[in-house]
Amino acid sequence: MKYSELHRLLKKHGCYPTGETQAGHPLWFSPITGNEFTTSHHDKQEVAIGTLKNIKRLAGVK
């Protein structure tokens, strides 16, 4: 899955970017879990499997 696909999936589940960055990565918020988490600006790059699982867990997305 590419970061652009991940961002679409997150938005579909109600997550949104906060407009802030953390260590140069965009910060997102999940209303499902109340967690903030980071993704990447590299939309065309593939997301590493472990990173993808962690982002989905923090966002409450399956």
Side-chain angles (χ1 to χ4, degrees), residues 1-36:
M1 174 179 283
K2 296 183 185 233
Y3 277 103
S4 59
E5 296 167 346
L6 174 61
H7 292 163
R8 277 195 298 273
L9 177 68
L10 292 171
K11 287 179 181 178
K12 181 179 173 183
H13 286 87
C15 300
Y16 57 90
T18 63
E20 298 176 16
T21 60
Q22 184 176 12
H25 298 283
L27 193 61
W28 285 66
F29 178 77
S30 171
I32 298 169
T33 62
N35 289 329
E36 288 185 338

Side-chain angles (χ1 to χ4, degrees), residues 36-52:
E36 288 185 338
F37 54 93
T38 59
T39 63
S40 177
H41 291 289
H42 305 286
D43 287 340
K44 294 182 180 180
Q45 185 178 9
E46 289 287 325
V47 184
I49 293 172
T51 304
L52 179 61

